[in-house]
Amino acid sequence: MRKSKEIPLTLLAAAAMASIGCNNGPRHCVDAQNHLMPDSYCEVSHGGGYYYVYGGSSGGHFGDSVVGASRSSVSFGGFGHGGGEGGGGE
Amino acid sequence: MRRHTITPRTGWQRKVERVGLTYHSLDDGSLYWDESAYWEFSAAEIDRLEAATAEIQRLALATGDVILDRDWLERMGIPKKAAGLIRETWQSEPPALYGRLDLAYDGRQIKLLEYNADTPTCLVEAAVAQWYWLEECFPKADQFNSLHEKLVAKWKDLLPYVSQPVYFARDGAEEDSMTIVYLQNTAHQAGLKTSGLAMRQIGWDSTNHRFVDGRRNELKTIFKLYPWEWILGDAFGDHALETMNAASQKPVAGKVQWIEPIWKMMWSNKALLAILWELFPNHELLLPAYLDGPHKMQNYVRKPLVGREGAGVQVFRNWAEEGNAAKANEFDAKAAGGSYVYQAMAPMAQADGKTAVFGSWLIDGEPAGMGIRESDGLITNNTSRFVPHLFR
């Protein structure tokens, strides 16, 4: 018997959406004194001194201290070509 | 076997999109999924294709042993830094899932064209889209296709051997993304926890010496639709080698399982074709193939040792180049290092001006189904159309 049985695919579309989504972690942008700042401070130049920390918690308001977080030693982008020259499938 | 032309189903685009084949048409509007034709086989012909697939897999396994016993990895152009891990994973047999043999078959002879062992695609169309096409158009006919249940069954087998979630890492075109989403779906149906991410979203935690996702979760089992040759050339390539779980079938703390395992570099490298011929000369399923030139062949195909979708493949007739090879991407060209395999021209199925190649799938080393690609010329490339099949 070579035929496939019924192929349940209801999750395929959902999986596609989930897979294509971005996967950013719980991170906080802080200043040199570990105060919570808007992410934009870490993404554009504000004279330096702003960086992301990961994990931890804060009161949720800008200026609150972020406790229990650690500065990242993680780098990204060391794999992948973004399909600029086609994918790696064959 | 016979090629038939028929009228496509009304609204076929929507129908195939609904089952995941969103890439049914190319950017220029031409078709990739082509249901204006199908191939019909007899049960005996399918039996032959299935048996040939199993036999070639047996030959490939024997060849893997010889390559390692005789230290032939360098001969295949495989980087030295990968050699120890290829040897180790070949022995320890960590999780491996699938592969696809591309076969020439003219109704009489079956010949191996190549083995796509590391990053095969065309899976959604072979496993799912053509199956739904059969059910709607020819419900009383059969199809060489048990891909879906074999994939789910294999993931179930792998449950004790992987860390969860299993991460599914993609890179590149829509076809690759949907292929990996489908594979992730089969793992999910097998009861595994899964997570998807792009290769670029894999982070390297230099403090803890491990790979992490965007939430800083450690990646312990990664299924990648991304060639090993590219991984080795990437900035994180050495980290992948340093942290690879190569000695054990089961998860090991601080180590990463990669699926497909790195030993697949032996089979996806086209030097395999010449080594197969060297070890099993005149085998009925093999074509003459050589690494050091065309020998006495008058009509042959020159293939880069590393390449995909027909890139860099050059046809020679009467020793003269015919047409121009499509340019290989820079990553494959670098990995191939200017080395080639020279393979005899195969007897191909030709009908209605099309040349067909039969992609015969293996799941867990067992024949599992077939997908057919048609081209206007001899070389199957990324514009070659997928045409469904049936047998009676």
Side-chain angles (χ1 to χ4, degrees):
Chain A
M1 183 67 171
R2 299 188 185 88
K3 275 187 172 181
S4 281
K5 302 185 186 92
E6 184 66 22
I7 299 173
L9 287 168
T10 50
L11 291 170
L12 192 58
M17 294 300 291
S19 174
I20 289 162
C22 201
N23 209 2
N24 288 321
R27 66 183 186 185
H28 313 282
C29 180
V30 297
D31 63 13
Q33 285 75 45
N34 223 32
H35 296 134
L36 185 65
M37 303 297 289
D39 280 358
S40 60
Y41 278 59
C42 287
E43 290 162 2
V44 296
S45 174
H46 278 268
Y50 303 95
Y51 53 88
Y52 284 115
V53 292
Y54 294 85
S57 59
S58 73
H61 300 101
F62 296 130
D64 289 349
S65 289
V66 177
V67 294
S70 60
R71 193 164 179 174
S72 176
S73 59
V74 176
S75 52
F76 289 88
F79 288 133
H81 303 135
E85 296 205 46
E90 56 187 331
Chain B
M1 65 191 195
R2 190 175 162 200
R3 184 182 194 272
H4 300 269
T5 55
I6 51 169
T7 304
R9 292 170 290 174
T10 302
W12 64 267
Q13 294 94 334
R14 196 168 24 85
K15 290 178 178 180
V16 297
E17 284 167 10
R18 210 160 40 213
V19 297
L21 186 59
T22 54
Y23 45 94
H24 53 68
S25 302
L26 305 177
D27 290 343
D28 65 2
S30 58
L31 298 182
Y32 168 66
W33 166 265
D34 183 3
E35 60 173 72
S36 69
Y38 69 93
W39 285 82
E40 179 180 349
F41 298 84
S42 67
E45 287 168 332
I46 293 295
D47 286 345
R48 278 196 67 199
L49 285 161
E50 191 171 20
T53 302
E55 168 65 1
I56 292 168
Q57 178 73 0
R58 187 187 70 77
L59 300 180
L61 284 165
T63 302
D65 284 333
V66 173
I67 290 168
L68 295 176
D69 288 347
R70 300 185 188 177
D71 284 327
W72 281 353
L73 292 175
E74 198 168 342
R75 191 179 170 209
M76 303 175 81
I78 292 174
K80 277 183 186 170
K81 63 182 179 180
L85 293 165
I86 289 173
R87 191 177 295 278
E88 213 171 345
T89 51
W90 178 259
Q91 295 299 332
S92 65
E93 297 186 43
L97 185 70
Y98 73 156
R100 194 191 75 237
L101 303 175
D102 282 349
L103 303 174
Y105 180 38
D106 64 352
R108 291 184 295 277
Q109 300 181 72
I110 299 172
K111 299 288 185 185
L112 173 67
L113 296 170
E114 58 190 60
Y115 195 167
N116 302 301
D118 186 20
T119 58
T121 52
C122 307
L123 183 61
V124 175
E125 44 275 49
V128 186
Q130 69 169 348
W131 176 252
Y132 279 93
W133 167 87
L134 181 80
E135 290 222 304
E136 185 173 344
C137 299
F138 300 97
K140 292 181 179 171
D142 208 338
Q143 189 173 82
F144 183 16
N145 183 5
S146 56
L147 280 158
H148 186 84
E149 57 263 43
K150 281 197 165 73
L151 284 166
V152 174
K154 179 59 182 173
W155 285 120
K156 282 182 180 168
D157 288 347
L158 290 179
L159 265 165
Y161 298 98
V162 297
S163 288
Q164 299 185 55
V166 175
Y167 286 85
F168 286 78
R170 65 185 184 278
D171 186 72
E174 184 180 4
E175 177 185 357
D176 288 15
S177 294
M178 290 310 293
T179 301
I180 208 152
V181 165
Y182 172 63
L183 285 166
Q184 183 179 350
N185 191 250
T186 57
H188 181 82
Q189 288 184 30
L192 286 158
K193 289 179 186 157
T194 66
S195 185
L197 79 176
M199 288 297 292
R200 283 187 297 185
Q201 290 175 313
I202 295 177
W204 174 250
D205 180 341
S206 58
T207 301
N208 299 299
H209 207 65
R210 62 188 190 180
F211 287 113
V212 295
D213 67 7
R215 298 177 193 277
R216 306 312 187 259
N217 298 307
E218 184 179 0
L219 309 186
K220 298 174 183 171
T221 299
I222 305 173
F223 180 96
K224 48 84 190 159
L225 190 58
Y226 190 77
W228 272 109
E229 292 82 5
W230 296 12
I231 288 178
L232 295 186
D234 279 349
F236 287 172
D238 287 344
H239 299 320
L241 299 181
E242 292 154 13
T243 57
M244 187 182 298
N245 178 6
S248 173
Q249 272 189 321
K250 293 199 169 183
V252 172
K255 297 287 185 180
V256 180
Q257 285 176 320
W258 291 87
I259 307 172
E260 299 295 317
I262 194 169
W263 67 257
K264 285 289 187 91
M265 288 183 81
M266 284 196 294
W267 285 0
S268 61
N269 186 303
K270 292 180 180 61
L272 176 77
L273 303 168
I275 294 174
L276 279 166
W277 183 251
E278 191 173 322
L279 298 179
F280 306 100
N282 301 311
H283 191 290
E284 63 174 353
L285 297 173
L286 302 177
L287 291 162
Y290 308 98
L291 289 173
D292 57 352
H295 289 214
K296 294 178 180 174
M297 296 187 292
Q298 185 173 344
N299 301 311
Y300 59 94
V301 179
R302 188 186 68 190
K303 300 176 174 178
L305 294 190
V306 178
R308 2 251 81 261
E309 300 279 15
V313 176
Q314 180 67 57
V315 174
F316 290 79
R317 280 189 203 276
N318 296 321
W319 305 286
E321 292 186 13
E322 181 179 271
N324 294 314
K327 189 173 177 293
N329 70 55
E330 64 173 285
F331 318 113
D332 285 336
K334 187 178 171 191
S339 297
Y340 298 95
V341 66
Y342 301 81
Q343 186 183 45
M345 206 87 87
M348 309 288 286
Q350 291 183 316
D352 304 329
K354 319 288 184 197
T355 301
V357 167
F358 304 91
S360 189
W361 286 91
L362 294 127
I363 308 297
D364 196 19
E366 302 288 335
M370 182 170 71
I372 300 173
R373 303 279 301 276
E374 288 187 347
S375 310
D376 295 326
L378 272 183
I379 299 168
T380 303
N381 58 29
N382 57 6
T383 64
S384 300
R385 294 165 295 280
F386 187 99
V387 179
H389 81 275
L390 57 79
F391 74 89
R392 300 178 198 273

